[in-house]
Amino acid sequence: MKKLYAVILAALVFTSLISAEDLKEGRMKLSMHESSGRISVFYQNELVTDKYTSLLLKQDPRTSGITLLVDNKTFKLGDSYDFEQSIEPTKTGSSFVWTSKQLKITEAFSFVTSKSSSIADGVRIDITINNISETTLSVGLKYLFDTWLGEKNKSSRHFRNPDYTYISGEKVYKGLMPDYWVSIDEDTPDIGLLVMLDNKVVTQPDQVIFANWKRLDESGWTLNTKDNRNFNLLPYSINDSAVAHYYDPVRIPSGSSRTITLVLGNYSETGFEVKTATENSNLDDLYNRVSTDDSTESFTSTENAIKNELVLTDDLITHINRLLNSNEPLTADELNTLNIMIQTLEKNKENFEE
């Protein structure tokens, strides 16, 4: 019976993995699993290969995701029958949309670049909670990240902070927080999951809890923690760590909304920045003028092609400037990056010539 259950579970997980919409940019790939309303996030190890490292547990994407607290009642998005689920395109990527009688939740995905990279190596998540009811609602949000890279370590140090303070058991952050936390495989220290906490970049959580995944997943909204309790929950879940970001309930009047921004990506010692609308580059301004010019015929594919070329050119210039200002020797991977960028621009040039 147990074997039959395992086969059925594996089949369900496989189905959720194949029915996915993939978004790609730079070194990042994000899979949106339509059946479960969850995501998988991958980082390309080298641009010249098709090898990707999963930054979240990939065997079952359902182990990560969003839990809402609405007037003291919890809803796990993707699992709750109270919400209808769909996928909608956005200008910068795509989004999950969940709609109930009271709320419309949009989880929008776009790609970002760390301070030390010239091409996308991270994902921005904007979660907008719209109150479509006729009354004021109290709404909080928990985002659970089921990590796995730190579990590969021979030691119990599953997480660390920018100052190399390691976390090997239950830990709670409130108030003053580090800029980010990272789950990293010590055998491949250049690849790992980094999640920003800096309130200049993201919406800072009111609380961050590092604990055993099963404890976090089944706790609903509250979890009684104990400093340095390990990541085991015998006999159910061994050496199984996760991290939950808690955003305390806020009263949202009828017709109003609340937005929570998260940023995660591959490990970068310098972390990520997120540009606001007023900080867009000149290339972004040029694209906006092209795509909104009333005198220009509306060819969406052409506009997208122009934008892609402008972004790639901007990335190439940024990459060259960073290399010129660095005292470090040019690595083979960086040289491959430059070659791919230049070859792509050269190949696409004929599409814009009359």
Side-chain angles (χ1 to χ4, degrees), residues 11 13-21 33-34:
V13 172
F14 179 72
T15 300
S16 71
L17 286 172
I18 61 174
S19 58
E21 175 178 323
H33 302 286
E34 301 175 42

Side-chain angles (χ1 to χ4, degrees), residues 6 38 69 81 90 123 208 215 249 264 306 337:
R38 308 303 209 282
L69 179 66
Y81 292 109
T90 66
V123 176
V208 176
R215 278 172 47 75
L264 59 102
I306 293 173
T337 300

Side-chain angles (χ1 to χ4, degrees), residues 180-325:
Y180 58 78
W181 59 263
V182 58
S183 170
I184 199 164
D185 177 6
E186 292 181 346
D187 294 331
T188 55
D190 292 334
I191 298 177
L193 169 66
L194 181 149
V195 182
M196 295 297 298
L197 298 175
D198 185 352
N199 61 12
K200 297 186 294 293
V201 179
V202 298
T203 305
Q204 189 177 79
D206 295 287
Q207 184 175 217
V208 176
I209 298 181
F210 301 80
N212 171 271
W213 171 81
K214 189 174 179 64
R215 278 172 47 75
L216 282 170
D217 183 61
E218 296 182 349
S219 64
W221 186 257
T222 59
L223 179 68
N224 294 322
T225 60
K226 181 179 180 181
D227 282 349
N228 294 323
R229 177 190 280 149
N230 61 32
F231 295 126
N232 298 328
L233 182 61
L234 300 173
Y236 306 104
S237 180
I238 312 300
N239 194 45
D240 188 5
S241 55
V243 186
H245 289 201
Y246 291 81
Y247 303 86
D248 288 347
V250 171
R251 291 176 62 81
I252 305 176
S254 173
S256 298
S257 64
R258 173 189 188 184
T259 298
I260 294 169
T261 297
L262 303 96
V263 171
L264 59 102
N266 185 54
Y267 169 65
S268 165
E269 186 175 357
T270 54
F272 288 83
E273 290 180 325
V274 175
K275 293 181 179 180
T276 64
T278 59
E279 295 175 327
N280 288 336
S281 68
N282 292 332
L283 292 176
D284 290 328
D285 294 337
L286 177 58
Y287 169 71
N288 289 333
R289 289 198 299 273
V290 170
S291 62
T292 58
D293 187 352
D294 293 335
S295 64
T296 304
E297 292 184 358
S298 179
F299 296 112
T300 303
S301 59
T302 302
E303 292 175 357
N304 285 335
I306 293 173
K307 180 183 179 182
N308 289 337
E309 293 306 292
L310 291 172
V311 170
L312 183 57
T313 304
D314 196 21
D315 281 344
L316 177 60
I317 294 171
T318 300
H319 196 92
I320 292 174
N321 284 337
R322 186 176 68 81
L323 293 174
L324 289 174
N325 294 326

Side-chain angles (χ1 to χ4, degrees), residues 22-30 50 52 111:
D22 285 347
L23 306 175
K24 293 182 181 180
E25 185 173 318
R27 283 186 148 170
M28 299 303 296
K29 178 172 71 172
L30 184 143
D50 290 327
Y52 284 84
F111 293 100

Side-chain angles (χ1 to χ4, degrees), residues 66-116:
I66 298 171
T67 297
L68 290 181
L69 179 66
V70 184
D71 289 343
N72 296 318
K73 184 177 180 181
T74 59
F75 302 88
K76 189 175 289 186
L77 295 183
D79 294 349
S80 173
Y81 292 109
D82 293 86
F83 288 84
E84 294 184 0
Q85 178 183 298
S86 62
I87 291 181
E88 295 182 1
T90 66
K91 291 182 179 179
T92 55
S94 195
S95 63
F96 282 121
V97 178
W98 293 278
T99 308
S100 71
K101 294 180 180 179
Q102 295 181 309
L103 296 169
K104 179 180 179 181
I105 316 297
T106 303
E107 184 183 16
F109 306 101
S110 56
F111 293 100
V112 292
T113 304
S114 68
K115 298 177 185 178
S116 59

